[in-house]
Amino acid sequence: MDFKQLQSFITVVKYGSFTKAAEVLYTSQPTISSHIRNLEDELSTRLLVRTTKSLSVTPHGMEFYEWAVNTMKSRDSLLRRWSDDTKRIIRLGASTIPAAYILPEILPAFGEKNPNVYFIINQSDSRGVIDDLLQGTIDIGFTGIPADHELLTCIPFYEDRMVIITPVNEHFLSWQSAKTPDLHEIMQEPVILREKDSDSKKSADYLIESLGLTEHDLNVIARVNDQESIKNLVTGGLGISIISEKAAQDLRREKRILVFQLPENTSRRQLYINYHKDYIYKNYMKDFIEHVRNFYPLPSPLAAVPWAGSNSKELP
Protein backbone atom coordinates (compact mmCIF):
# COMPACT_ATOMS: atom_id res chain seq x y z
CA MET A 1 0.00 0.00 0.00
CA ASP A 2 1.09 3.60 -0.48
CA PHE A 3 0.13 7.04 0.82
CA LYS A 4 -2.11 7.81 -2.16
CA GLN A 5 -4.17 4.72 -1.44
CA LEU A 6 -4.47 5.66 2.23
CA GLN A 7 -5.51 9.20 1.33
CA SER A 8 -8.15 7.91 -1.06
CA PHE A 9 -9.58 5.58 1.58
CA ILE A 10 -9.61 8.29 4.28
CA THR A 11 -11.37 10.73 1.96
CA VAL A 12 -14.01 8.20 0.88
CA VAL A 13 -14.84 7.41 4.50
CA LYS A 14 -14.83 11.10 5.47
CA TYR A 15 -17.28 12.14 2.74
CA GLY A 16 -19.14 8.83 2.36
CA SER A 17 -18.79 9.03 -1.41
CA PHE A 18 -16.38 7.87 -4.11
CA THR A 19 -17.52 10.74 -6.33
CA LYS A 20 -16.90 13.39 -3.68
CA ALA A 21 -13.51 11.86 -2.79
CA ALA A 22 -12.44 12.03 -6.44
CA GLU A 23 -13.54 15.67 -6.56
CA VAL A 24 -11.69 16.63 -3.37
CA LEU A 25 -8.48 14.83 -4.43
CA TYR A 26 -8.63 16.12 -8.03
CA THR A 27 -8.54 12.65 -9.53
CA SER A 28 -10.94 10.28 -11.27
CA GLN A 29 -13.48 8.01 -9.64
CA PRO A 30 -11.98 4.89 -11.28
CA THR A 31 -8.63 5.82 -9.67
CA ILE A 32 -10.27 6.04 -6.26
CA SER A 33 -12.00 2.69 -6.83
CA SER A 34 -8.70 1.12 -7.89
CA HIS A 35 -6.98 2.40 -4.71
CA ILE A 36 -9.68 0.92 -2.48
CA ARG A 37 -9.71 -2.38 -4.34
CA ASN A 38 -5.91 -2.70 -4.10
CA LEU A 39 -6.04 -2.04 -0.36
CA GLU A 40 -8.72 -4.68 0.15
CA ASP A 41 -6.76 -7.19 -1.94
CA GLU A 42 -3.56 -6.55 0.01
CA LEU A 43 -5.31 -6.76 3.37
CA SER A 44 -7.51 -9.68 2.32
CA THR A 45 -10.55 -8.06 3.90
CA ARG A 46 -13.55 -5.95 2.94
CA LEU A 47 -13.17 -2.33 4.05
CA LEU A 48 -16.23 -0.77 2.41
CA VAL A 49 -19.64 -2.08 1.44
CA ARG A 50 -20.87 -0.19 -1.59
CA THR A 51 -24.27 -0.42 -3.27
CA THR A 52 -25.98 1.78 -5.84
CA LYS A 53 -27.70 3.70 -3.03
CA SER A 54 -25.38 3.59 -0.03
CA LEU A 55 -21.84 3.25 1.25
CA SER A 56 -20.93 1.77 4.64
CA VAL A 57 -17.68 1.02 6.46
CA THR A 58 -17.07 -2.48 7.82
CA PRO A 59 -15.71 -3.00 11.37
CA HIS A 60 -12.31 -3.85 9.87
CA GLY A 61 -12.67 -0.74 7.72
CA MET A 62 -13.19 1.49 10.78
CA GLU A 63 -10.16 -0.02 12.49
CA PHE A 64 -8.08 0.52 9.37
CA TYR A 65 -9.43 4.07 9.03
CA GLU A 66 -8.13 5.03 12.49
CA TRP A 67 -4.74 3.54 11.68
CA ALA A 68 -4.62 5.30 8.30
CA VAL A 69 -5.49 8.69 9.81
CA ASN A 70 -2.73 8.35 12.44
CA THR A 71 -0.26 7.20 9.78
CA MET A 72 -0.97 10.25 7.61
CA LYS A 73 -0.65 12.54 10.63
CA SER A 74 2.74 11.03 11.44
CA ARG A 75 3.87 11.47 7.85
CA ASP A 76 2.73 15.11 7.77
CA SER A 77 4.44 15.80 11.09
CA LEU A 78 7.69 14.31 9.82
CA LEU A 79 7.58 16.37 6.64
CA ARG A 80 6.86 19.54 8.60
CA ARG A 81 9.81 18.91 10.90
CA TRP A 82 12.11 18.33 7.94
CA SER A 83 10.88 21.48 6.20
CA ASP A 84 11.44 23.40 9.46
CA ASP A 85 15.11 22.41 9.57
CA THR A 86 16.20 25.33 7.41
CA LYS A 87 13.60 27.74 8.83
CA ARG A 88 14.47 27.18 12.51
CA ILE A 89 10.82 27.03 13.59
CA ILE A 90 9.64 25.74 16.97
CA ARG A 91 6.02 24.63 17.16
CA LEU A 92 4.58 25.26 20.62
CA GLY A 93 1.35 24.16 22.26
CA ALA A 94 0.13 26.00 25.33
CA SER A 95 -2.85 26.01 27.66
CA THR A 96 -4.56 29.30 28.53
CA ILE A 97 -2.32 30.76 31.24
CA PRO A 98 1.02 29.91 29.58
CA ALA A 99 -0.25 31.11 26.18
CA ALA A 100 -1.64 34.43 27.44
CA TYR A 101 0.76 35.41 30.22
CA ILE A 102 3.92 33.27 30.21
CA LEU A 103 4.96 33.03 26.56
CA PRO A 104 4.70 36.82 26.02
CA GLU A 105 7.44 37.16 28.64
CA ILE A 106 9.58 34.20 27.62
CA LEU A 107 9.62 34.53 23.83
CA PRO A 108 10.89 38.13 23.46
CA ALA A 109 13.79 37.44 25.83
CA PHE A 110 14.74 34.34 23.83
CA GLY A 111 14.21 36.16 20.53
CA GLU A 112 16.69 38.89 21.43
CA LYS A 113 19.47 36.30 21.62
CA ASN A 114 18.15 34.09 18.81
CA PRO A 115 16.73 36.37 16.10
CA ASN A 116 16.62 33.60 13.49
CA VAL A 117 14.30 31.33 15.50
CA TYR A 118 10.56 31.61 14.89
CA PHE A 119 7.55 30.20 16.72
CA ILE A 120 4.19 28.76 15.75
CA ILE A 121 1.84 28.67 18.75
CA ASN A 122 -1.30 26.58 19.11
CA GLN A 123 -3.49 27.31 22.16
CA SER A 124 -5.56 24.49 23.63
CA ASP A 125 -6.40 23.03 27.01
CA SER A 126 -3.70 21.02 28.77
CA ARG A 127 -5.06 17.66 27.63
CA GLY A 128 -5.16 18.89 24.04
CA VAL A 129 -1.54 20.10 24.30
CA ILE A 130 -0.43 16.70 25.60
CA ASP A 131 -2.30 14.91 22.79
CA ASP A 132 -0.73 17.20 20.17
CA LEU A 133 2.71 16.50 21.62
CA LEU A 134 2.17 12.74 21.46
CA GLN A 135 0.87 13.00 17.89
CA GLY A 136 3.89 15.04 16.81
CA THR A 137 1.97 18.15 15.69
CA ILE A 138 3.94 20.32 18.17
CA ASP A 139 7.53 20.18 19.45
CA ILE A 140 7.13 21.51 22.99
CA GLY A 141 4.08 21.86 25.21
CA PHE A 142 3.18 24.15 28.12
CA THR A 143 0.49 22.89 30.48
CA GLY A 144 -1.21 23.49 33.81
CA ILE A 145 -1.23 19.77 34.62
CA PRO A 146 1.68 17.30 34.47
CA ALA A 147 1.93 15.13 31.37
CA ASP A 148 2.17 11.79 33.12
CA HIS A 149 3.12 9.72 30.07
CA GLU A 150 6.04 7.36 29.60
CA LEU A 151 7.05 8.99 26.30
CA LEU A 152 7.21 12.52 27.68
CA THR A 153 9.46 14.47 30.00
CA CYS A 154 7.50 16.90 32.17
CA ILE A 155 9.27 19.57 34.25
CA PRO A 156 7.76 22.34 36.44
CA PHE A 157 9.16 25.74 35.46
CA TYR A 158 6.82 28.29 37.05
CA GLU A 159 4.95 28.40 40.35
CA ASP A 160 1.62 30.17 40.14
CA ARG A 161 -1.04 30.82 42.78
CA MET A 162 -4.79 31.09 42.61
CA VAL A 163 -6.24 34.28 44.13
CA ILE A 164 -9.63 35.91 44.63
CA ILE A 165 -10.12 39.07 42.58
CA THR A 166 -12.83 41.65 43.28
CA PRO A 167 -13.92 45.04 41.95
CA VAL A 168 -12.38 48.14 43.52
CA ASN A 169 -15.05 49.72 45.73
CA GLU A 170 -15.56 50.70 49.37
CA HIS A 171 -17.19 47.38 50.15
CA PHE A 172 -14.14 45.30 49.21
CA LEU A 173 -11.61 47.93 50.30
CA SER A 174 -12.94 47.61 53.84
CA TRP A 175 -12.22 43.86 53.72
CA GLN A 176 -8.75 44.41 52.31
CA SER A 177 -7.86 46.69 55.20
CA ALA A 178 -8.63 43.89 57.65
CA LYS A 179 -5.60 41.89 58.79
CA THR A 180 -7.30 38.58 58.14
CA PRO A 181 -10.17 38.98 55.65
CA ASP A 182 -12.98 36.45 56.06
CA LEU A 183 -12.66 34.40 52.87
CA HIS A 184 -15.93 32.60 53.56
CA GLU A 185 -17.73 35.94 53.69
CA ILE A 186 -16.07 37.10 50.48
CA MET A 187 -17.13 33.90 48.73
CA GLN A 188 -20.78 34.73 49.45
CA GLU A 189 -20.53 37.51 46.87
CA PRO A 190 -21.71 36.90 43.29
CA VAL A 191 -19.08 34.64 41.68
CA ILE A 192 -17.91 34.29 38.08
CA LEU A 193 -16.27 30.94 37.27
CA ARG A 194 -14.38 29.44 34.34
CA GLU A 195 -15.89 26.72 32.18
CA LYS A 196 -15.86 23.23 33.63
CA ASP A 197 -12.94 21.67 31.72
CA SER A 198 -10.28 24.35 32.22
CA ASP A 199 -7.22 23.85 34.45
CA SER A 200 -8.04 27.08 36.30
CA LYS A 201 -11.55 25.82 37.03
CA LYS A 202 -10.14 22.58 38.47
CA SER A 203 -7.77 24.60 40.68
CA ALA A 204 -10.66 26.85 41.77
CA ASP A 205 -12.78 23.80 42.62
CA TYR A 206 -9.98 22.48 44.82
CA LEU A 207 -9.69 25.80 46.63
CA ILE A 208 -13.44 26.09 47.15
CA GLU A 209 -13.44 22.59 48.60
CA SER A 210 -10.49 23.44 50.87
CA LEU A 211 -12.59 26.28 52.34
CA GLY A 212 -15.26 23.75 53.24
CA LEU A 213 -17.60 24.98 50.49
CA THR A 214 -19.17 23.55 47.34
CA GLU A 215 -20.46 25.28 44.24
CA HIS A 216 -23.97 24.87 45.64
CA ASP A 217 -22.94 27.16 48.50
CA LEU A 218 -21.91 29.91 46.06
CA ASN A 219 -23.91 32.50 44.17
CA VAL A 220 -22.55 31.61 40.70
CA ILE A 221 -23.90 34.25 38.32
CA ALA A 222 -21.85 33.42 35.21
CA ARG A 223 -19.54 30.81 33.65
CA VAL A 224 -17.11 32.21 31.13
CA ASN A 225 -14.61 30.33 28.95
CA ASP A 226 -12.20 33.25 28.57
CA GLN A 227 -9.92 34.56 31.31
CA GLU A 228 -9.80 38.11 29.97
CA SER A 229 -13.59 38.27 29.82
CA ILE A 230 -13.75 37.25 33.47
CA LYS A 231 -11.32 40.02 34.39
CA ASN A 232 -13.36 42.58 32.47
CA LEU A 233 -16.58 41.45 34.16
CA VAL A 234 -14.95 41.78 37.59
CA THR A 235 -13.61 45.26 36.87
CA GLY A 236 -17.09 46.17 35.67
CA GLY A 237 -18.50 45.22 39.07
CA LEU A 238 -20.47 42.12 38.09
CA GLY A 239 -18.90 39.89 40.73
CA ILE A 240 -15.74 38.26 42.08
CA SER A 241 -13.70 35.36 40.73
CA ILE A 242 -10.86 32.94 41.49
CA ILE A 243 -8.12 33.17 38.86
CA SER A 244 -4.39 32.78 38.36
CA GLU A 245 -2.28 35.39 40.16
CA LYS A 246 -0.21 35.66 36.98
CA ALA A 247 -3.34 36.53 35.02
CA ALA A 248 -4.34 39.13 37.61
CA GLN A 249 -1.02 40.98 37.81
CA ASP A 250 -1.71 43.52 35.04
CA LEU A 251 -5.00 44.79 36.49
CA ARG A 252 -3.52 44.68 39.98
CA ARG A 253 -0.68 46.98 38.90
CA GLU A 254 -3.24 49.32 37.34
CA LYS A 255 -5.28 49.20 40.58
CA ARG A 256 -8.40 48.15 38.67
CA ILE A 257 -8.99 45.09 40.88
CA LEU A 258 -8.34 44.01 44.43
CA VAL A 259 -6.54 40.73 45.10
CA PHE A 260 -7.13 38.52 48.14
CA GLN A 261 -4.62 35.78 48.88
CA LEU A 262 -5.80 32.25 49.54
CA PRO A 263 -4.15 29.73 51.91
CA GLU A 264 -0.72 29.01 50.49
CA ASN A 265 -0.85 25.27 51.00
CA THR A 266 -3.88 24.96 48.70
CA SER A 267 -3.44 27.86 46.27
CA ARG A 268 0.00 26.98 44.86
CA ARG A 269 0.17 25.22 41.51
CA GLN A 270 2.88 24.47 38.98
CA LEU A 271 3.04 25.17 35.26
CA TYR A 272 4.95 22.62 33.21
CA ILE A 273 7.09 22.37 30.09
CA ASN A 274 6.74 19.03 28.30
CA TYR A 275 8.76 17.42 25.51
CA HIS A 276 9.50 14.00 24.04
CA LYS A 277 12.06 11.91 25.89
CA ASP A 278 13.50 10.27 22.79
CA TYR A 279 12.94 12.96 20.18
CA ILE A 280 16.14 14.25 18.57
CA TYR A 281 15.85 17.97 19.23
CA LYS A 282 17.79 20.55 17.28
CA ASN A 283 20.26 22.64 19.28
CA TYR A 284 18.10 25.76 19.10
CA MET A 285 15.17 23.76 20.53
CA LYS A 286 17.37 22.53 23.39
CA ASP A 287 18.47 26.11 23.99
CA PHE A 288 14.85 27.21 24.18
CA ILE A 289 13.95 24.49 26.69
CA GLU A 290 16.88 25.51 28.88
CA HIS A 291 15.86 29.16 28.52
CA VAL A 292 12.38 28.33 29.82
CA ARG A 293 13.68 26.21 32.68
CA ASN A 294 15.96 29.03 33.87
CA PHE A 295 13.69 32.01 33.18
CA TYR A 296 11.70 31.94 36.42
CA PRO A 297 13.20 31.12 39.82
CA LEU A 298 11.32 28.29 41.48
CA PRO A 299 11.19 28.39 45.29
CA SER A 300 12.27 24.96 46.54
CA PRO A 301 12.07 23.33 43.07
CA LEU A 302 9.99 20.15 42.84
CA ALA A 303 9.04 20.39 46.52
CA ALA A 304 5.34 20.36 45.63
CA VAL A 305 5.72 17.84 42.82
CA PRO A 306 6.00 14.33 44.30
CA TRP A 307 5.77 12.65 40.90
CA ALA A 308 8.77 14.50 39.47
CA GLY A 309 11.38 11.98 40.52
CA SER A 310 9.87 9.23 38.34
CA ASN A 311 9.05 11.29 35.27
CA SER A 312 11.76 13.91 35.03
CA LYS A 313 14.68 13.54 32.71
CA GLU A 314 17.54 15.68 31.52
CA LEU A 315 17.53 16.97 27.99
CA PRO A 316 18.60 14.52 25.32
Side-chain angles (χ1 to χ4, degrees), residues 41 81 103 135 143 186 188 201 211 234 247 254 296 310:
D41 289 344
R81 287 202 298 269
L103 292 183
Q135 292 174 12
T143 60
I186 295 176
Q188 297 308 308
K201 176 59 168 59
L211 294 173
V234 172
E254 297 167 8
Y296 298 106
S310 61

Side-chain angles (χ1 to χ4, degrees), residues 2 27 35 41 54 110 119 140 171 200 206 255 265 280 308:
D2 58 36
T27 187
H35 286 169
D41 289 344
S54 66
F110 184 79
F119 296 92
I140 299 166
H171 177 57
S200 294
Y206 177 67
K255 298 186 176 181
N265 62 326
I280 302 175

Side-chain angles (χ1 to χ4, degrees), residues 194-303:
R194 285 289 301 274
E195 79 279 18
K196 291 184 179 299
D197 293 331
S198 72
D199 300 331
S200 294
K201 176 59 168 59
K202 294 171 185 174
S203 297
D205 286 344
Y206 177 67
L207 286 164
I208 292 169
E209 182 181 346
S210 72
L211 294 173
L213 302 171
T214 70
E215 276 198 28
H216 297 294
D217 300 318
L218 308 181
N219 178 19
V220 180
I221 59 172
R223 296 185 186 277
V224 183
N225 62 2
D226 177 72
Q227 191 100 295
E228 290 300 309
S229 296
I230 289 178
K231 292 160 61 177
N232 290 334
L233 291 173
V234 172
T235 59
L238 183 64
I240 69 172
S241 190
I242 300 175
I243 70 170
S244 155
E245 187 173 41
K246 188 68 173 177
Q249 66 181 7
D250 55 345
L251 295 184
R252 186 181 194 177
R253 283 196 301 263
E254 297 167 8
K255 298 186 176 181
R256 295 173 59 195
I257 59 171
L258 299 178
V259 173
F260 291 84
Q261 299 292 335
L262 289 156
E264 184 173 344
N265 62 326
T266 56
S267 64
R268 292 173 60 190
R269 68 170 190 166
Q270 304 281 5
L271 299 181
Y272 304 90
I273 181 170
N274 310 273
Y275 52 90
H276 274 276
K277 287 181 178 178
D278 300 321
Y279 184 77
I280 302 175
Y281 281 89
K282 303 296 181 182
N283 286 333
Y284 62 89
M285 293 183 179
K286 294 181 182 180
D287 291 342
F288 176 70
I289 293 172
E290 283 302 314
H291 170 77
V292 172
R293 293 175 64 178
N294 296 322
F295 194 82
Y296 298 106
L298 272 177
S300 59
L302 304 184

